[in-house]
Amino acid sequence: MTAKALHMSTLFLRTLREDPADADVDSARLLQRAGYIRKTAPGIFTWLPLGLRVLNKVEAIVREEINSFGAQEVHFPALLPKDPYERTHRWEEYGDNIFRLKDRHGADYLLAPTHEEMFTLLVKDMYSSYKDLPLTLYQIQTKYRDEFRPRAGLVRGRGFVMKDAYSFTVDADGLKAAYQDERDAYERIFKRLGVQYVIVHAVSGPMGGSESEEFLAPLAIGEDTFALAPSGKAWNVEALTTPEVPDEDFSDVPDMTQLHTPDSTTIDSLVDQANALHPKADGSAWTAADTLKNLIVTVKHPADADHDELWRELVAIALPGDRQVDMKRIEAQFAPAEVEEASPEDLASHPELVKGYIGPKVLGPQAEAAGIKHPIRYFVDAHVARGSAWVTGADTEGEHLFNAVYGRDFDSSARIEAVEVRHGDISPDGSGPLSFERGVEIGQVFQLGLKYSNALDLKVLDQNGKTVPVWMGSYGIGVSRVLACIAEYHHDERGLAWPLSVAPAQVHVMATGKDPKAFEAAERLVSELEERNVEVIYDDRLKVSPGVKFKDAELIGVPLIAVAGRDTINNGTIEIRRRDGSASQAVPIAEASSVVLEHLAALSE
Amino acid sequence: MTAKALHMSTLFLRTLREDPADADVDSARLLQRAGYIRKTAPGIFTWLPLGLRVLNKVEAIVREEINSFGAQEVHFPALLPKDPYERTHRWEEYGDNIFRLKDRHGADYLLAPTHEEMFTLLVKDMYSSYKDLPLTLYQIQTKYRDEFRPRAGLVRGRGFVMKDAYSFTVDADGLKAAYQDERDAYERIFKRLGVQYVIVHAVSGPMGGSESEEFLAPLAIGEDTFALAPSGKAWNVEALTTPEVPDEDFSDVPDMTQLHTPDSTTIDSLVDQANALHPKADGSAWTAADTLKNLIVTVKHPADADHDELWRELVAIALPGDRQVDMKRIEAQFAPAEVEEASPEDLASHPELVKGYIGPKVLGPQAEAAGIKHPIRYFVDAHVARGSAWVTGADTEGEHLFNAVYGRDFDSSARIEAVEVRHGDISPDGSGPLSFERGVEIGQVFQLGLKYSNALDLKVLDQNGKTVPVWMGSYGIGVSRVLACIAEYHHDERGLAWPLSVAPAQVHVMATGKDPKAFEAAERLVSELEERNVEVIYDDRLKVSPGVKFKDAELIGVPLIAVAGRDTINNGTIEIRRRDGSASQAVPIAEASSVVLEHLAALSE
């Protein structure tokens, strides 16, 4: 087998000296300048010959690793009927984020952003016994999402290549094993592709389900923030949990008192009032950190066994006054319910709530003890220690409680994660303070559990002849997005610098100047490399200056560059150097191909 | 390199004993029963593991042959903005046949059925000189068309895999060379794929352009009719031309006379009247073949230099009374205009036309000579010989002309192909009578000429520094449709019987019965074949009867089948046979893999 070199004189390529106007990140800028991709519409790109070669190599590595544990490839259409997506409610949930269309007969279709429904129905259609499981299916496919604001080139486009896999197992243990297979493969894939990654604990997004981790490439251009512990473990913000805080000793805390604090409906005004009217015993000033604010939110639960339709519940959430509330984290804990600030109408249905002075006395266990009808559940943020003392609302206009001790003077219905996490918060694993970084999501592994099996009635007979729902997982890699991340990691001011595993060619050979001997030497090297099945780009252009050829080679970013020009040919040598600048040498023409092979062997280690 | 065998015990496959209800052709029936594809929506299919393997092999052969003459692969999105398609009027011309959608901002998009516009714009964007040409680009891609009535499985679906290529050359000669390269590659491709094909001269369809040929697979399930000459040349019906008919000697034909023929507004009534009132001189009966009917149609021309908008022209067409009119063939000759029967309003604008008695006296050259305003152009069907004598309308109520000799008594504005072709008509190349067959269009090669370059302003500088439009060709292969045609040609009543070039595996090995020795023998063969990089399906299922295993193997249709079962194992042999029944032998276990390789070598010749 021989590999045919790409000749620059005929290659469909035009490198650009200028950055495209709207390229907002390095990968988009360089991939377009070097002729890998071309923008076709907002967030929609065309793959040019060099880009398609890199994409094919990335796909091949993904395929090889996913095949290695027995996953089987299939291919669904991107255009799909509405019905399955309606049955799982995703037709509505996706809102404007998917492309929808009607066929000529008026039937609804979508361009599928992910295929959980279709894989579930396919397996249901074909399999019926535990003996057919475990099974993992996958596809590699161009998908579409109607992003409101596409950005960062291939990082967040409206069309993108995705590998999506789905596992089917008869029980939760099987799911865990399938999940682990996929997770291990992802680690191998990203290592081979030369992208950095952090595995981040994630909670369920719009997929619904139970356990999930994201693979984030740490990059400042990323839209995802993740929290990193000194242990190296990472979490996405919605998944962060606060370690149990130790109980505080409240033996010295005086009895709770209810004091007058007029015009103190905000934390700032409360602190000012407290300092003015009720100075602290130890002489220090009250701060926001001494106050406990009680937030009322409305939880919109989906219909369930007891409710025919969506139903609204008011809940109260207590959090330290010096912390910001994080509604997304709160919502994650009530999923699949949605959470919003309580409206004036919602609040009016609970006359015990005194606006600006809401406190524990009318909430949760206290409300129940007081015989209040439909008591409001009372959640206390995880940063609030049992035994800690607080200034908080007294449920009376213009009055607050002082020295209200959690666990002595009031109790809660449950613990909750309610505050915005911040630099220095203790990590979930207790290894130390958290720091926050930005990353690009390049993969996600997800234990879906029974969500789709139940919604679409995917059941099999188990070993006892009993019908049981199938446990599912879903696993995605953003193939074109990973390609962009490789470019983010592997470039310099002069252009791309691909890792060998995905480079469009292995060697970029050029002949410079006008001396036919340079071209002869270059061609000899090219043909020797072709015979050894090395992929070569050969810059054979006649009327192009050495400067342009060098610039193009560095922009295109093949890992090895071989130059036959005036300087070298007079010595009977060819210059061989690495694109990353780590090596450069002049070698006799007759040895050039062997030296190239040595470099390639070293680079592929 | 070793190939990993597919094990039937884990392969995602469920063969069906029953035909799917709506499978209307053999390929759709067998590809679904054997687990290659699954229907997802009307005309939309999912590729299962075996199907994807065959599809990949077909694609690889297409790619290899198209690459061989220097074409370069790119990949466009399927989702495209409306604008380029509006500029070429195809946005409107496609009517309901494409899927259209709007994005969240209300912008119009389509799922592109072909990509002429995008390739034209891409080349315009990147190239500007004759030095960059010739260039051929292509892609292999899933496309969508909103067929009114999808049928025949992969033959006419709404989603399908297509290879579309586009050539760009500086002149017409370059276009011819690029066209020939592609045409030659198509012949090699279809031969390697084991599909029969006929190259059919075609006229321009909705693509617009100049010269075109279609590759049709002769199959009764096809929707296209083509005409075959004794020479082996073929034409599609719209492209058929009638060879020049020799002039007839009219020296013995009496003078034209105008005779009374009341109530003769149809050919039948005219023939009856003529026989009753005006018997033929030689005593034989008048027949429809003696009459010349004059049809009036409306030609709807698109806007042009002289007309700001669509304009209507009445034209008259004369054809023998015993032939049927073929409006599609007529329309093809007026393309891009549309042709329809003239409406009563259209006819009313020409008072010289006497309904039922229209004749040459008021048409074409005769009308001009008579000083009729806006004379109607008069086309005479190509089967009408100069010198032939006719009974035709006298443009007077109840009267006809007899012995009207074409060329003596009347003349035409031009010749036209107006009649339905029929079995026995003389072929365009004069080689003899035509026969008609049905076929499936699997490829088309098309000299587009300047249509898209002009519409989208694709120009380059030529050698003299002059700006010239680029000559384009477009070339398509229906990849998934070809796959269906391969199945149409290669199956029997028991299942598929793939040619080796595209079979999902090369050998189907099975162990039958319960004797562990059979499984040992089969596994030895499998692992020997794996080591030699032979693709194997291994039926390792334990509780499946030999009958089911045989049926599945014959349904799946791998070209070689190797069986280790009770009968053979007792003799220390394995049975090796061809799926097509052409060979079957028992060979010693130790020799089995060598014999398999010999068969494969023979099959690949």
Side-chain angles (χ1 to χ4, degrees):
Chain A
M1 201 160 75
T2 61
K4 218 168 140 188
L6 296 177
H7 289 239
M8 288 284 275
S9 61
T10 52
L11 181 62
F12 184 56
L13 173 71
R14 184 97 328 153
T15 57
L16 308 175
R17 295 288 153 243
E18 305 285 325
D19 290 336
D22 57 354
D24 48 356
V25 298
D26 288 339
S27 56
R29 199 166 61 75
L30 292 172
L31 289 170
Q32 288 182 81
R33 277 191 46 200
Y36 286 77
I37 59 172
R38 203 91 180 168
K39 188 169 150 188
T40 301
I44 297 178
F45 291 85
T46 296
W47 298 93
L48 302 184
L50 291 182
L52 195 56
R53 284 171 81 101
V54 176
L55 179 65
N56 287 340
K57 291 192 175 190
V58 175
E59 287 185 7
I61 288 173
V62 170
R63 202 167 260 130
E64 196 180 312
E65 295 296 345
I66 299 295
N67 287 343
S68 74
F69 60 88
Q72 299 180 61
E73 188 173 2
V74 301
H75 195 86
F76 270 94
L79 179 68
L80 292 174
K82 166 188 180 183
D83 177 64
Y85 289 81
E86 200 164 38
R87 287 164 70 185
T88 58
H89 306 293
R90 293 214 296 175
W91 176 260
E92 302 85 43
E93 282 168 18
Y94 271 117
D96 281 343
N97 292 313
I98 52 170
F99 289 100
R100 299 156 192 269
L101 63 158
K102 285 185 189 292
D103 75 1
R104 63 193 297 159
H105 305 296
D108 283 307
Y109 283 78
L110 76 162
L111 299 184
T114 69
H115 279 69
E116 279 78 1
E117 287 81 353
M118 305 313 297
F119 277 84
T120 308
L121 290 173
L122 179 64
V123 173
K124 177 183 174 180
D125 193 21
M126 288 178 56
Y127 278 176
S128 57
S129 162
Y130 74 95
K131 291 181 210 157
D132 300 322
L133 306 181
L135 171 70
T136 295
L137 299 175
Y138 77 100
Q139 60 180 356
I140 296 180
Q141 194 189 48
T142 301
K143 294 187 189 295
Y144 296 92
R145 277 187 210 178
D146 199 357
E147 295 285 349
F148 183 73
R149 197 171 287 115
R151 61 174 282 278
L154 298 177
V155 171
R156 185 167 289 277
R158 300 200 294 174
F160 49 93
V161 180
M162 177 125 173
K163 187 279 319 182
D164 47 330
Y166 306 87
S167 70
F168 301 86
T169 51
V170 78
D171 56 25
D173 284 345
L175 170 54
K176 274 181 197 139
Y179 180 93
Q180 193 62 40
D181 279 344
E182 201 86 32
R183 190 180 187 280
D184 293 345
Y186 280 26
E187 297 213 54
R188 296 193 300 273
I189 288 166
F190 296 132
K191 277 174 192 149
R192 288 179 65 182
L193 294 177
V195 282
Q196 298 171 34
Y197 63 91
V198 175
I199 301 179
V200 171
H201 297 269
V203 292
S204 56
M207 300 273 200
S210 46
E211 174 133 11
S212 171
E213 287 164 297
E214 288 169 1
F215 287 73
L216 297 187
L219 283 167
I221 62 158
E223 289 181 341
D224 290 309
T225 299
F226 65 95
L228 195 61
S231 63
K233 284 194 182 167
W235 293 261
N236 86 21
V237 169
E238 282 77 19
L240 275 181
T241 53
T242 306
E244 197 80 35
V245 286
D247 291 359
E248 289 183 13
D249 176 9
F250 56 88
S251 50
D252 289 344
V253 180
D255 284 351
M256 177 171 79
T257 46
Q258 181 165 337
L259 297 172
H260 195 54
T261 51
D263 302 326
S264 55
T265 54
T266 66
I267 297 295
D268 283 349
S269 59
L270 172 59
V271 169
D272 290 347
Q273 290 278 318
N275 280 324
L277 301 176
H278 314 290
K280 250 192 187 169
D282 65 3
S284 69
W286 296 108
T287 69
D290 296 310
T291 69
L292 189 70
K293 56 187 171 191
N294 295 290
L295 176 78
I296 309 291
V297 300
T298 301
V299 181
K300 290 154 69 180
H301 297 277
D304 57 29
D306 294 331
H307 301 81
D308 285 343
E309 47 190 32
L310 176 150
W311 58 283
R312 301 165 73 87
E313 180 196 9
L314 279 199
V315 308
I317 296 171
L319 61 155
D322 64 336
R323 303 289 300 235
Q324 298 300 310
V325 66
D326 186 331
M327 291 293 276
K328 275 180 76 179
R329 293 185 73 215
I330 294 175
E331 191 169 60
Q333 289 161 91
F334 286 102
E338 289 173 19
V339 174
E340 61 188 25
E341 246 187 284
S343 67
E345 294 74 38
D346 287 336
L347 293 173
S349 67
H350 281 270
E352 72 272 25
L353 300 175
V354 180
K355 198 175 172 222
Y357 299 89
I358 297 170
K361 290 200 292 183
V362 300
L363 301 171
Q366 290 73 240
E368 241 167 301
I372 291 175
K373 261 192 190 170
H374 308 299
I376 293 172
R377 284 198 288 163
Y378 188 35
F379 295 86
V380 170
D381 179 70
H383 291 86
V384 177
R386 293 196 78 82
S388 58
W390 300 92
V391 178
T392 192
D395 304 299
T396 305
E397 181 73 30
E399 310 232 322
H400 275 89
L401 300 175
F402 284 67
N403 294 319
V405 172
Y406 177 36
R408 179 187 77 178
D409 302 317
F410 69 96
D411 216 331
S412 69
S413 313
R415 198 165 175 266
I416 195 169
E417 299 289 344
V419 306
E420 245 179 49
V421 291
R422 63 186 181 195
H423 199 86
D425 277 355
I426 296 301
S427 67
D429 63 358
S431 70
L434 290 171
S435 61
F436 292 87
E437 298 195 23
R438 295 181 78 75
V440 173
E441 186 188 329
I442 51 177
Q444 184 169 26
V445 287
F446 211 110
Q447 296 185 17
L448 294 173
L450 301 174
K451 173 175 170 168
Y452 289 90
S453 313
N454 283 337
L456 298 167
D457 202 31
L458 169 60
K459 293 189 169 71
V460 292
L461 289 178
D462 73 5
Q463 280 177 292
N464 309 315
K466 216 184 102 195
T467 301
V468 295
V470 172
W471 292 74
M472 283 176 60
S474 81
Y475 315 94
I477 288 183
V479 176
S480 46
R481 181 183 279 183
V482 167
L483 187 154
C485 290
I486 302 172
E488 290 290 338
Y489 287 117
H490 300 276
H491 73 271
D492 58 22
E493 71 286 355
R494 300 191 307 279
L496 296 158
W498 295 106
L500 186 64
S501 60
V502 299
Q506 296 163 303
V507 190
H508 189 121
V509 178
M510 69 176 82
T512 63
K514 287 173 187 165
D515 189 340
K517 278 191 285 177
F519 284 84
E520 278 160 28
E523 268 152 40
R524 174 177 168 180
L525 174 58
V526 168
S527 75
E528 284 179 14
L529 292 174
E530 281 180 335
E531 271 162 34
R532 292 167 188 204
N533 206 23
V534 175
E535 294 166 324
V536 175
I537 293 178
Y538 173 35
D539 196 342
D540 60 335
R541 293 175 293 176
L542 290 175
K543 294 187 179 169
V544 173
S545 75
V548 168
K549 288 188 177 182
F550 281 115
K551 275 199 175 124
D552 278 347
E554 298 200 310
L555 183 58
I556 290 169
V558 165
L560 270 189
I561 299 173
V563 185
R566 202 176 45 189
D567 301 344
T568 61
I569 290 305
N570 288 339
N571 308 326
T573 63
I574 284 182
E575 186 200 353
I576 291 171
R577 54 164 151 145
R578 293 199 182 170
R579 168 65 182 86
D580 65 8
S582 65
S584 172
Q585 62 193 123
V587 299
I589 294 168
E591 293 166 26
S593 62
S594 303
V595 173
V596 164
L597 290 174
E598 282 163 24
H599 275 286
L600 293 178
L603 283 169
S604 67
E605 265 165 17
Chain B
M1 200 160 75
T2 62
K4 218 167 142 190
L6 296 177
H7 289 238
M8 287 285 276
S9 60
T10 52
L11 181 63
F12 183 58
L13 172 72
R14 187 95 328 155
T15 56
L16 308 175
R17 295 287 155 246
E18 305 285 324
D19 290 335
D22 56 355
D24 48 357
V25 299
D26 288 338
S27 55
R29 200 167 60 76
L30 292 172
L31 288 171
Q32 288 183 79
R33 277 191 48 200
Y36 285 77
I37 59 171
R38 203 89 179 170
K39 186 171 151 185
T40 301
I44 296 179
F45 292 85
T46 295
W47 298 92
L48 301 184
L50 290 183
L52 196 55
R53 286 171 80 101
V54 176
L55 179 64
N56 286 340
K57 291 192 176 192
V58 175
E59 286 185 6
I61 288 173
V62 170
R63 202 167 259 131
E64 196 180 312
E65 294 296 347
I66 299 295
N67 287 344
S68 74
F69 61 87
Q72 300 181 60
E73 188 172 0
V74 301
H75 194 85
F76 270 92
L79 179 68
L80 292 175
K82 167 189 180 183
D83 176 65
Y85 289 82
E86 201 165 38
R87 287 164 68 185
T88 59
H89 307 292
R90 293 213 298 176
W91 176 260
E92 302 84 43
E93 282 168 20
Y94 272 117
D96 281 343
N97 291 314
I98 53 170
F99 289 100
R100 297 155 193 270
L101 63 158
K102 284 184 190 294
D103 74 3
R104 63 193 299 158
H105 305 296
D108 283 307
Y109 282 78
L110 75 163
L111 299 182
T114 70
H115 278 68
E116 278 78 1
E117 287 80 354
M118 305 314 297
F119 277 85
T120 308
L121 290 173
L122 180 64
V123 173
K124 177 182 172 179
D125 194 20
M126 290 178 55
Y127 278 177
S128 57
S129 162
Y130 74 96
K131 292 180 208 157
D132 299 323
L133 307 181
L135 170 72
T136 294
L137 300 174
Y138 75 100
Q139 60 180 355
I140 296 179
Q141 192 190 51
T142 301
K143 294 185 189 295
Y144 296 93
R145 279 186 210 180
D146 199 358
E147 295 284 349
F148 184 75
R149 197 172 287 117
R151 61 175 282 278
L154 298 178
V155 171
R156 184 168 291 277
R158 299 200 295 174
F160 49 92
V161 181
M162 178 124 171
K163 188 278 317 183
D164 47 332
Y166 305 88
S167 68
F168 300 86
T169 50
V170 78
D171 56 26
D173 283 346
L175 170 55
K176 273 181 198 140
Y179 179 94
Q180 192 62 39
D181 278 344
E182 200 87 31
R183 190 181 187 278
D184 291 346
Y186 281 26
E187 295 211 56
R188 295 194 301 271
I189 288 167
F190 296 132
K191 276 175 193 148
R192 287 179 65 181
L193 293 177
V195 281
Q196 298 171 35
Y197 64 91
V198 175
I199 301 178
V200 170
H201 297 270
V203 290
S204 56
M207 301 270 200
S210 49
E211 174 133 9
S212 171
E213 287 165 295
E214 288 169 1
F215 287 73
L216 297 186
L219 283 166
I221 61 159
E223 289 180 340
D224 290 308
T225 299
F226 65 95
L228 195 61
S231 62
K233 285 194 180 165
W235 293 260
N236 87 20
V237 170
E238 282 77 19
L240 274 180
T241 52
T242 306
E244 196 80 32
V245 286
D247 291 359
E248 288 182 15
D249 176 12
F250 56 87
S251 51
D252 290 344
V253 179
D255 286 351
M256 177 171 80
T257 47
Q258 181 166 335
L259 297 173
H260 194 55
T261 51
D263 302 327
S264 54
T265 55
T266 66
I267 298 295
D268 283 350
S269 60
L270 170 60
V271 168
D272 290 348
Q273 290 278 316
N275 281 322
L277 302 176
H278 313 289
K280 249 192 188 169
D282 66 0
S284 68
W286 296 107
T287 70
D290 296 310
T291 69
L292 189 71
K293 57 187 171 191
N294 295 290
L295 177 77
I296 310 291
V297 300
T298 301
V299 181
K300 291 154 68 181
H301 297 276
D304 58 29
D306 296 329
H307 300 81
D308 284 344
E309 46 190 31
L310 176 149
W311 58 283
R312 302 165 74 86
E313 178 195 10
L314 279 200
V315 307
I317 296 170
L319 61 156
D322 63 336
R323 302 290 300 238
Q324 298 300 311
V325 66
D326 185 330
M327 290 294 274
K328 274 179 75 177
R329 293 185 73 217
I330 293 175
E331 191 168 60
Q333 289 161 89
F334 286 103
E338 290 174 18
V339 174
E340 60 188 27
E341 246 187 286
S343 66
E345 293 75 38
D346 286 335
L347 293 174
S349 67
H350 281 270
E352 73 270 25
L353 301 174
V354 180
K355 199 178 170 217
Y357 298 91
I358 296 169
K361 289 200 291 181
V362 299
L363 301 171
Q366 292 71 239
E368 240 166 300
I372 292 175
K373 262 192 191 171
H374 308 300
I376 294 172
R377 285 199 287 163
Y378 188 37
F379 295 86
V380 170
D381 179 71
H383 292 85
V384 177
R386 295 195 77 82
S388 58
W390 300 93
V391 177
T392 192
D395 304 297
T396 305
E397 181 75 30
E399 310 233 322
H400 276 87
L401 301 175
F402 284 68
N403 293 320
V405 172
Y406 177 37
R408 179 188 74 178
D409 302 317
F410 68 95
D411 215 331
S412 69
S413 313
R415 201 165 174 263
I416 196 170
E417 299 289 343
V419 305
E420 243 179 52
V421 291
R422 65 188 181 195
H423 199 87
D425 276 355
I426 296 303
S427 67
D429 64 357
S431 70
L434 290 170
S435 60
F436 292 86
E437 296 196 26
R438 294 182 78 75
V440 173
E441 186 188 328
I442 50 178
Q444 185 169 25
V445 286
F446 211 112
Q447 297 184 17
L448 293 173
L450 302 174
K451 174 176 169 166
Y452 289 90
S453 313
N454 283 337
L456 298 167
D457 202 31
L458 169 60
K459 294 189 169 70
V460 291
L461 288 179
D462 72 5
Q463 280 175 290
N464 308 313
K466 215 183 104 195
T467 301
V468 294
V470 172
W471 289 76
M472 286 177 59
S474 82
Y475 316 94
I477 288 181
V479 176
S480 47
R481 182 184 279 181
V482 167
L483 187 154
C485 289
I486 302 172
E488 290 289 337
Y489 286 117
H490 300 277
H491 73 271
D492 58 24
E493 70 286 354
R494 300 191 306 280
L496 295 158
W498 296 106
L500 186 64
S501 59
V502 299
Q506 295 164 305
V507 191
H508 189 122
V509 178
M510 68 176 83
T512 64
K514 288 173 186 165
D515 190 339
K517 279 191 285 178
F519 284 83
E520 279 160 27
E523 270 151 39
R524 173 177 169 181
L525 174 57
V526 168
S527 74
E528 286 178 12
L529 292 174
E530 281 180 335
E531 272 162 33
R532 293 168 188 204
N533 205 22
V534 175
E535 295 166 322
V536 175
I537 293 177
Y538 173 35
D539 198 342
D540 59 337
R541 292 175 294 177
L542 290 174
K543 293 186 178 169
V544 172
S545 75
V548 167
K549 290 188 175 184
F550 282 115
K551 276 200 175 125
D552 279 346
E554 297 199 309
L555 185 55
I556 291 169
V558 166
L560 269 189
I561 298 172
V563 185
R566 200 177 47 191
D567 299 346
T568 61
I569 290 304
N570 288 340
N571 306 328
T573 63
I574 284 182
E575 187 202 352
I576 292 170
R577 53 165 151 143
R578 294 198 181 171
R579 168 65 182 88
D580 66 8
S582 65
S584 172
Q585 63 192 121
V587 299
I589 294 168
E591 293 167 24
S593 62
S594 304
V595 173
V596 164
L597 290 174
E598 282 163 24
H599 275 288
L600 293 178
L603 283 168
S604 64
E605 267 164 17

